[in-house]
Amino acid sequence: MAAERGARRLFSTSSLWLYCLLLLFGRPAPGAAAARSGSPPQSAGASIRTFTPFYFLVEPVDTLSVRGSSVILNCSAYSEPSPKIEWKKDGTFLNLVSDDRRQLLPDGSLFISNVVHSKHNKPDEGYYQCVATVDSLGTIVSRTAKLTVAGLPRFTSQPEPSSVYAGNSAILNCEVNADLVPFVRWEQNRQPLLLDDRVIKLPGGTLVISNVTEGDGGLYRCIIESGGPPKYSDEAELKVLPDPEETLSLVFLKQPSSLVRVIGQSTVLPCVASGLPAPAMRWMKNEETLDTEGSERLVLLAGGSLEISDITEDDAGTYFCIADNGNETIEAQAELTVQAQPEFLKQPANIYAHESMDIVFECEVTGKPTPTVKWVKNGDMVIPSDYFKIVKEHNLQVLGLVKSDEGFYQCIAENDVGNAQAGAQLIILEHDVAIPTLPPTSLTSATTDHLAPATTGPLPSAPRDVVASLVSTRFIKLTWRTPASDPHGDNLTYSVFYTKEGIARERVENTSRPGEMQVTIQNLMPATVYIFRVVAQNKHGFGESSAPLRVETQPEVQLPGPAPNIRAYATSPTSITVTWETPLSGNGEIQNYKLYYMEKGTDKEQDVDISSHSYTLNGLKKYTEYSFRVVAYNKHGPGVSTQDVAVRTLSDVPSAAPQNLSLEVRNSKSIMIHWQPPSPATQNGQITGYKIRYRKASRKSDVTETLVTGTQLSQLIEGLDRGTEYNFRVAALTVNGTGPATDWLSAETFESDLDETRVPEVPSSLHVRPLVTSIVVSWTPPENQNIVVRGYAIGYGIGSPHAQTIKVDYKQRYYTIENLDPSSHYVITLKAFNNVGEGIPLYESAVTRPHTDTSEVDLFVINAPYTPVPDPTPMMPPVGVQASILSHDTIRITWADNSLPKHQKITDSRYYTVRWKTNIPANTKYKNANATTLSYLVTGLKPNTLYEFSVMVTKGRRSSTWSMTAHGTTFELVPTSPPKDVTVVSKEGKPRTIIVNWQPPSEANGKITGYIIYYSTDVNAEIHDWVIEPVVGNRLTHQIQELTLDTPYYFKIQARNSKGMGPMSEAVQFRTPKASGSSGKGSRLPDLGSDYKPPMSGSNSPHGSPTSPLDSNMLLVIIVSVGVITIVVVVIIAVFCTRRTTSHQKKKRAACKSVNGSHKYKGNSKDVKPPDLWIHHERLELKPIDKSPDPNPIMTDTPIPRNSQDITPVDNSMDSNIHQRRNSYRGHESEDSMSTLAGRRGMRPKMMMPFDSQPPQQSVRNTPSTDTMPASSSQTCCTDHQDPEGATSSSYLASSQEEDSGQSLPTAHVRPSHPLKSFAVPAIPPPGPPTYDPALPSTPLLSQQALNHHIHSVKTASIGTLGRSRPPMPVVVPSAPEVQETTRMLEDSESSYEPDELTKEMAHLEGLMKDLNAITTA
């Protein structure tokens, strides 16, 4: 007893010392946060309650039991004082006092004796939970544990008799319920079977015997021993057969199956194979071989099964079991899924708080599958409400704390694998007890107290005049005055307490800094009454509270919320059904719904009004994706829209046939078929293949079908008969069936195959045509066309043809060698080749033209002197090529074939090759495609881009040259890229003005019509909250004024064209300068006196101008004066020139007469006759007018004058103006400018058609020019004032060096028509020296070969004009009488025609004009 009393005294003394140490060291440092199980803070001289350790030492775990056995579910909790332990089963407390089978053990564990389990009565199976309670603290609950009772012994499969060859593997099945597997054992011949490395039991109960011997034969059975009488399976005999010494195929006796396991568990992937020779087993995971020998966790069991111990997350994946016996290999696979129990990444922490504060318990968990989280307070589930909220998925937020919120809060995480719990304690302190200055993370910023330990002293009185200065639907702004006890109130802080009317739970909002006397309360409910009071606080503590203020928030417009559960599903290829439910926040009766839908890829949204909760849209496009959203309407208007849901209509059979079907005869027994898919709008689904049907033309009922799967777009049909015509058609397939087929297309196989046992012969011709930096090479194939030609090899180089070699296709008949050096001598060779080798070469040489050569035009079809007439064996090229624009990326090309009958029906095996390119960039290559009809759909083009197209026809082994080109510009598309290089700079002298610069988008897809500049101070703001500055036109800079100084701004720019708006650029940040150092808008410079001189760097005026107002006025006066003087001088010069022109015209008429006469007729003007006009009609090629793809309205509206009365007189001033404009900008005026000029001056535009004395074969090149009008008054020859019309219609061009030194010869732009007939006898040109002066600029419209011939007078006739896009008409005439020297012309300028002579000449010219009119209109 004495020892006991001594021990008690010692314990009492120790407790006293421990208490003193707590008082001494328990006070936290200022600003330290309270942590879990840490020492609490304390107020001045008084301790506060500490966090009490209260947690589970042992928690129950999942347990498997059998009927009639006993079970213990362990549980133990720690606390001072000791907790009271209770148990829950399936959420209900167990009454253990009157329970005979269940009893509570002293440590808190639950003991269940004689477990009861039957088919209809399972009282012990279920989920158990341990509950620990301390009356003065609270309650905590453990994790839940599942008690499983094994069922009655039952076999799902039993062993069956089998035989096995010695050395192989054998399996005996015995499948039972998973909870009975631990109770399964095997017997052989009624004796227990010992398991070893060769004989194993799989997790399901199946027995595996590997490397079978004779001793393994016998009777086998499995037994279930689960506490009751054992359950025996059927006996099965295993026979061991001797080795047959022959090969047996491999077969799996047991294959692995997909499994789901938890981290830390073990598993076995079964795999057993049999065969002779006996197979070797190996495993792979995700295509990597597993090393079972060098791993401790991976073990290869008997028969080949794989055991994995201590599973980790990395073990998840696909496993392959491979059996290989040297003769064959088989494999099986299974998926291993790894799950993980919930684990806490962050557990809740203990919290100190005051009443009315807001707190947050944080809880972060992980697991697989992702765990769900629920919260428990003192053992009871926390139900979310206005004051208890789940935030950030797992955290618990408690608003407006009250005293009853104290206790233990637990975060419980649960998934399919298991569950876990973690808890924390909440202690609510009195207001006069301080909490740490630095708040823990679990306190919200809105309610953080900054309290220092309280000291004694006077407390503030109540704040005065508390009013609600701003009342909205969701927030209220309160203001007040300082308390009467502290009028200044600089050191006071304030707390605003508020609650809903009728609710006892009060919340608090603190001011952000001392002395602040306003606060905004957020997140309130509309049309709700709140009670507010304000309390001031100084260093001594809280003062008096103000009188309660009752404020009601504004009612909110009651608009419907989003309709929940919106779903859309396709019901047919053309219909979609959309369903939804009534909005949860209906806010009044829903009147109707509006369903919005839009096709994907478009920006046009459509809508339909609906009164029900579902709607079926019909008439939609097949296999097209649509987006849907629903908006509910009530009496106040539209509510909140739902999120978009997207769905695609069902697929269907294609509604159109494949495009551009073409046939290519390969040899006498095969034909290659090419085609393109149907247009995307008609595919109606994913094209899964194509069906090809073909037949002999003579036996149309005997049709053969072949299928092409996937996206293959060609097929070689072999095994055909020689020299036989076949018909082909193709149809596209989807999963729904076959679409329409193309029309039948015919092709005939060759009578005999071409020879490829030897190289091709030499090509029959080679022609070269040099340009400045390129050479056009054309050729014809070898004459012996029975030898296969696979292609042509073109070699070229300076002085040697072996520098570079280019190979082209066998169908090609021309090639342009580019990137050559000007004025260089190139040697060119051409060889045909096949698989045997290259044939005999053909050589040619050419010299590229110098840079000064302005006559280069890349037109292959022009028959220039350098290009002899091609061999007539090629086919005629297609004519009438036209380009029809269909969309921004599609153009349809159509043409006619003159070698076909009038109905233009193709009955042979010819096909057409369409090529196209764009000149931007200049080095783009041609693209080609084949077609078997007279049209082709070119897709995949760039928007707003000019393309040129030409067509070539091929029939058998013959091909034509390329046709005339057609042009087409694709439609515009919205810009697909944003403006580039967006920069922002401040305007000098105006800090509140900035200048935004940018570059156009790289993919404008059309003419930019404007830009929109968005700017904001918040880069994350919604785009509709940004300020918009529109910019009209294609300007690339803009000023923005009246910005705030020293403020960051963000800028975005969006381009637009006629089709719409493009994407926005990335945001560019710019901070406006500070006010210092820059003069603001309207600021004025100080008066520095009259003697002040600005510094050398210069200074700006108040408005940024470098000059003063006085200087600006003086400058304006000077500019106006100079302008007036200039106008006066121009008027005087014009009057002078007009008078001089009158006398000058007389000399010109004399010169014209002199030109038309010969030196031997100088004294007798009556014998003078103009030279006859001669045109070689056989060399004049005129195309039909209607073949032009781009008719010119000027041409169609300007008839050729048939006599002198049809021609509008042209005055001198107009001629002069035209001459000036032509000389200043020669050959580049557009048709529009000419049309405008002609319309403005009331005249028909004219065309000068020279009939020069150039020798034959001279080509007239097409140069873009509208230089087709009478050049000037100096060109108007033989003009008489009494007959201006006749003078105009019979004008002659004089080669006067003195009066028209810069004049170029006009060009014959004649509208194509039938070949002209000669209507005059040509005169033989007499020999004489040329009068051409090299100083005069040569015309760019004629070949440079004109330099080698005499220049003769050119008689011209005004016969209308052609558009610039028309091809030129080569006009070849013999030499006319030689032009007299200029000096002789001036000497004879005094002579003049008599009236009768002039009348004869006019009559002769009128006859010529009638003949021309008759020819062109024929």
Side-chain angles (χ1 to χ4, degrees), residues 523-543:
N523 300 322
L524 303 180
M525 296 297 295
T528 305
V529 177
Y530 288 87
I531 307 298
F532 297 89
R533 61 186 182 91
V534 183
V535 178
Q537 180 185 1
N538 60 15
K539 61 182 179 178
H540 304 299
F542 284 97

Side-chain angles (χ1 to χ4, degrees), residues 10 16 57 107 221 238 265 283 437 477 519 537 627 641 644 675 733 829 885 946 1103 1296 1305:
L10 179 61
L16 180 61
L57 296 172
D107 64 347
R221 67 177 180 178
L238 176 65
Q265 291 182 345
W283 285 83
T437 302
K477 182 178 181 180
V519 72
Q537 180 185 1
S627 62
S641 173
D644 287 354
W675 64 89
L733 302 176
T829 180
I885 317 301
L946 174 64
H1103 299 285
S1296 173
L1305 297 178

Side-chain angles (χ1 to χ4, degrees), residues 282-292 322:
R282 57 188 174 90
W283 285 83
M284 295 180 65
K285 176 197 169 189
N286 298 336
E287 300 182 357
E288 294 183 1
T289 302
L290 296 178
D291 182 12
T292 55
I322 303 173

